Amino acid sequence: LAVSGQLVPQILSEGTGEELSQQIEAEKQKLVAKGQLKKQKVLPGIDQDEAPFMIPDSWKWVRLASVTDFSIGRTPSRGESTYWGEDYVPWVSIADLNAGGHVSKTKESISKTAYDKCFSSTVVPKGTLLYSFKLTIGKMSILDIDAVHNEAIASLRTYSDITTDFLLKALQAINPLSRTNEAIKGKTLNSGSLSLLEIPFPPLEEQMRIVQKTTQLLDLITKLEYQLEK
């Protein structure tokens, strides 16, 4: 209900998903001009026939990579002893992800040498949404620390904490293997197919109301489950 616009009412004064996506694109272009973001490939549009389900007129179908700063991690060579054994930067693996929750610590860290050579001294900032697209597909967590991560994880940095929380909720309700169009369907995901994933995108204030409502309802469900078990 939440991801199809049926959980909370639409409010005309809050604007539209189209307006919000345009604001995000303008912000991206500013970062590209400053050299702080690589120029993104043009992503294919989403035809009405391609849309997986109906959404309100004030919403917009967007590609996941169009509303996030989308990047893939890597694993420094295990054969290089200088890359490991020094707690310089936390390194996130799928095992560190707390499904639907937050990551505040990792089992392993990398050295400054590995950070400089393998990640070009670029850290994934706290507040970023991490998404596993290999092995345990769809496992997600929000970073509570600055870190780097492996190549089975995509970091989805948004332009608002509200959108990060909304994407976490929305992606939990979406089966990525059945949602991507016929040209990119498969039993596994890669960075290309994940970036093309269709996301229903409401205006920012509605995103906030959806997050608040789903959090409230899921907390209630947890309490009811506990009472039922008792």
Side-chain angles (χ1 to χ4, degrees), residues 7-24:
L7 186 65
V8 301
Q10 284 71 56
I11 299 175
L12 187 62
S13 62
E14 291 179 348
T16 66
E18 172 68 32
E19 292 169 347
L20 178 57
S21 66
Q22 289 178 359
Q23 292 171 14
I24 291 172

Side-chain angles (χ1 to χ4, degrees), residues 1-180:
L1 293 174
V3 300
S4 60
Q6 300 178 66
L7 186 65
V8 301
Q10 284 71 56
I11 299 175
L12 187 62
S13 62
E14 291 179 348
T16 66
E18 172 68 32
E19 292 169 347
L20 178 57
S21 66
Q22 289 178 359
Q23 292 171 14
I24 291 172
E25 180 59 28
E27 182 63 27
K28 280 190 169 188
Q29 292 307 316
K30 289 180 182 178
L31 294 175
V32 169
K34 293 178 181 178
Q36 298 176 2
L37 184 67
K38 291 182 179 179
K39 187 174 181 179
Q40 189 180 56
K41 294 180 180 178
V42 177
L43 299 170
I46 302 174
D47 296 331
Q48 186 173 357
D49 293 340
E50 185 185 348
F53 49 82
M54 296 293 293
I55 56 175
D57 292 339
S58 58
W59 291 29
K60 181 184 180 181
W61 283 105
V62 298
R63 302 290 183 188
L64 181 59
S66 70
V67 293
T68 63
D69 178 4
F70 188 99
S71 61
I72 307 300
R74 63 181 305 181
T75 300
S77 173
R78 293 288 185 178
E80 182 55 67
S81 59
T82 60
Y83 287 173
W84 304 91
E86 179 186 333
D87 295 336
Y88 186 73
V89 176
W91 179 80
V92 183
S93 69
I94 293 176
D96 295 313
L97 299 181
N98 179 21
H102 292 251
V103 176
S104 57
K105 61 180 180 179
T106 61
K107 294 179 176 64
E108 295 184 279
S109 296
I110 61 170
S111 67
K112 186 179 186 304
T113 301
Y115 178 58
D116 293 340
K117 290 187 176 181
C118 301
F119 296 94
S120 302
S121 302
T122 302
V123 73
V124 178
K126 64 180 180 179
T128 299
L129 177 61
L130 300 184
Y131 186 101
S132 168
F133 64 96
K134 295 180 180 180
L135 301 176
T136 310
I137 295 174
K139 191 176 183 182
M140 289 174 286
S141 295
I142 294 175
L143 268 179
D144 282 345
I145 53 175
D146 292 343
V148 292
H149 55 81
N150 70 13
E151 68 280 1
I153 296 173
S155 55
L156 310 174
R157 187 178 179 185
T158 69
Y159 295 82
S160 161
D161 291 342
I162 295 171
T163 295
T164 300
D165 290 335
F166 171 76
L167 282 180
L168 177 62
K169 300 292 187 185
L171 288 167
Q172 285 177 320
I174 289 170
N175 179 356
L177 299 182
S178 64
R179 287 288 315 292
T180 49

